[in-house]
Amino acid sequence: MMFPSKAFLSILFVMLSSADASPLRSDARKATLSFAARVNARGAVNVAAADRARVQAMKQAGSMGKRAGKSSFSITNAVVTYTAQVGIGSPATEYTLIIDTGSSNTWVGANTPYNPTATSVDTGNTVDVSYGSGSFFGEEYTDTVYLSNTLVITGQSIGVASSSQGFSGVDGILGVGPADLTESTVSNVDIVSTVTDNLYSQGVIDTEALGIYFVPPDASDSAGELTFGGHDSSKITSPVTYVPLTTTSPASSYWGIDQSISYGGSTILSETAGIVDTGTTLVLIASDAFSTYQTATGAVMDEATGLLTITSGQYDKLQSLTFKIGGKTYDLTPNAQIWPRSLNADIGGSSSNIYLIVADIGSDSGSGLDFVNGYAFLQRHYSVFDTTNNQVGFANTPHTDDKSN
């Protein structure tokens, strides 16, 4: 049976606990997958450039339509990544897989070889996926997958890499994005059912929804969780409010929503389409909105990190950044707008500097993907990705107003 890993090579370590609530029904079945979050230590890292490259590739893939196939985006260069220990086969071999809401193929073999067992079936199909700076090619198998003792999937499509590039220290990816992103990735197959799809279709969970709870890295409570089939009501301080997925392309190819953003009560980005993405570290906004934000805060650009930096005096005057999503507003307080100072060195920054987590997406508003609510937003607000009802939900948490950064 599957079991949580006892150790991860990471700078920022977060083990996740169990949950017992659903976004739609209090008696629904649900379960939690333990995982670790880490900030990749690579010396001087231009964190904004890494995020920008990811979103630009996502835009390109999304604009090509749902059959983007081999034109995907970079996961391997992400500054913050999330890994789970996943068992495959019977008896199960354990693999370290990146959890990603922006891709949907699940595959192994980048480091630990795939070990076929009695539950493994070679379909004869090939799998070929590119992630910008990384890629893999191999065969498709179906097999039993153990996400945890209570999250067991039979007949899950698994890519088995015969060759891969760019995946150091991990074995592959656990894709939890929209299933349409798998189109044209597996020969002789239209759309591949994701792990979330199969958990739902096999009756393991009652709602095809994924709840994610992150916390600021320097918070006194370092626990977080990822829940299949619902959300954990004990981790939120407000009701979960849902909004429909956007219909605007290319944001509509991912977990896309419509929102507006204001700073200090003044709108800097009118309502437009963008995405919610665990694989993006920062909050990225359209270039025109970014320019307005930089002027309002008085920040200057730090070329080493790619982030805006402010003085202590400017920090004292920093105002809230407000996201209006549907009829609800969600604030990033002044403390939530700064990079955790204890992690400055991990992005090539100075320990004495104050860096902002808002960055330029690289194009003006009106592109169809004008913002990304990344990890910096999600560590302050609970998120629910609901496939059953084509919606995304948010709620405040005990860490929404933290001053730990």
Side-chain angles (χ1 to χ4, degrees):
M1 297 299 289
M2 180 56 191
F3 50 92
S5 174
K6 299 190 188 310
F8 295 84
L9 294 176
S10 62
I11 295 170
L12 174 59
F13 184 88
V14 183
M15 285 307 297
L16 302 171
S17 56
S18 62
D20 60 0
S22 164
L24 302 178
R25 292 175 47 196
S26 60
D27 61 342
R29 286 167 291 186
K30 64 218 143 294
T32 297
L33 170 63
S34 297
F35 71 92
R38 62 182 177 181
V39 176
N40 292 333
R42 298 191 302 270
V45 174
N46 190 311
V47 59
D51 273 358
R52 198 155 37 245
R54 173 181 170 90
V55 72
Q56 291 301 324
M58 292 176 83
K59 278 187 178 183
Q60 181 181 7
S63 65
M64 294 174 65
K66 296 186 182 297
R67 295 185 178 274
K70 296 169 65 176
S71 297
S72 193
F73 55 88
S74 175
I75 292 173
T76 58
N77 280 341
V79 175
V80 177
T81 58
Y82 312 91
T83 58
Q85 300 303 111
V86 177
I88 299 176
S90 183
T93 299
E94 190 175 73
Y95 302 91
T96 301
L97 303 183
I98 295 173
I99 300 168
D100 191 64
T101 58
S103 67
S104 303
N105 293 85
T106 293
W107 64 275
V108 299
N111 287 283
T112 304
Y114 178 67
N115 181 31
T117 66
T119 58
S120 308
V121 177
D122 187 344
T123 67
N125 297 329
T126 59
V127 188
D128 190 355
V129 183
S130 173
Y131 301 95
S133 61
S135 63
F136 88 95
F137 174 82
E139 295 181 69
E140 183 197 37
Y141 279 72
T142 60
D143 211 335
T144 300
V145 172
Y146 299 90
L147 300 178
S148 72
N149 288 334
T150 55
L151 291 168
V152 181
I153 308 166
T154 59
Q156 174 64 47
S157 172
I158 299 292
V160 177
S162 56
S163 64
S164 64
Q165 295 180 331
F167 291 88
S168 176
V170 297
D171 297 313
I173 292 174
L174 181 72
V176 291
D180 285 348
L181 295 175
T182 66
E183 291 193 54
S184 300
T185 61
V186 180
S187 64
N188 304 311
V189 176
D190 186 16
I191 297 176
V192 177
S193 294
T194 68
V195 292
T196 315
D197 291 337
N198 284 328
L199 286 170
Y200 176 63
S201 65
Q202 293 177 23
V204 180
I205 57 177
D206 285 342
T207 301
E208 194 172 351
L210 182 65
I212 300 180
Y213 174 65
F214 293 136
V215 299
D218 288 331
S220 57
D221 173 16
S222 61
E225 65 185 26
L226 182 146
T227 300
F228 286 92
H231 70 266
D232 184 352
S233 59
S234 71
K235 297 298 190 294
I236 59 178
T237 58
S238 71
V240 177
T241 301
Y242 292 90
V243 292
L245 299 179
T246 187
T247 58
T248 302
S249 178
S252 56
S253 293
Y254 305 94
W255 288 109
I257 61 172
D258 296 314
Q259 74 175 16
S260 63
I261 303 176
S262 61
Y263 174 77
S266 298
T267 299
I268 63 172
L269 183 66
S270 298
E271 184 169 273
T272 187
I275 64 173
V276 186
D277 181 37
T278 63
T280 299
T281 304
L282 306 170
V283 171
L284 301 183
I285 59 177
S287 299
D288 46 338
F290 176 77
S291 178
T292 302
Y293 176 77
Q294 180 176 1
T295 299
T297 60
V300 297
M301 180 60 65
D302 177 74
E303 297 300 332
T305 62
L307 300 181
L308 295 175
T309 182
I310 56 175
T311 66
S312 295
Q314 289 170 327
Y315 173 66
D316 291 339
K317 297 177 181 178
L318 205 61
Q319 301 181 64
S320 290
L321 190 66
T322 301
F323 300 69
K324 186 175 182 181
I325 306 172
K328 177 72 174 176
T329 58
Y330 304 89
D331 285 339
L332 285 186
T333 64
N335 188 263
Q337 292 173 61
I338 67 173
W339 179 258
R341 281 172 273 194
S342 65
L343 299 177
N344 280 0
D346 299 312
I347 58 170
S350 168
S351 60
S352 61
N353 282 3
I354 301 175
Y355 300 100
L356 297 176
I357 53 79
V358 178
D360 186 353
I361 205 170
S363 57
D364 285 336
S365 54
S367 71
L369 203 169
D370 293 335
F371 64 84
V372 182
N373 292 358
Y375 173 72
F377 177 87
L378 296 173
Q379 67 183 351
R380 301 293 183 137
H381 302 286
Y382 198 103
S383 55
V384 183
F385 302 85
D386 183 356
T387 300
T388 297
N389 298 290
N390 295 311
Q391 59 186 6
V392 177
F394 301 98
N396 292 334
T397 79
H399 297 288
T400 296
D401 298 324
D402 267 8
K403 296 182 179 180
S404 58
N405 288 342

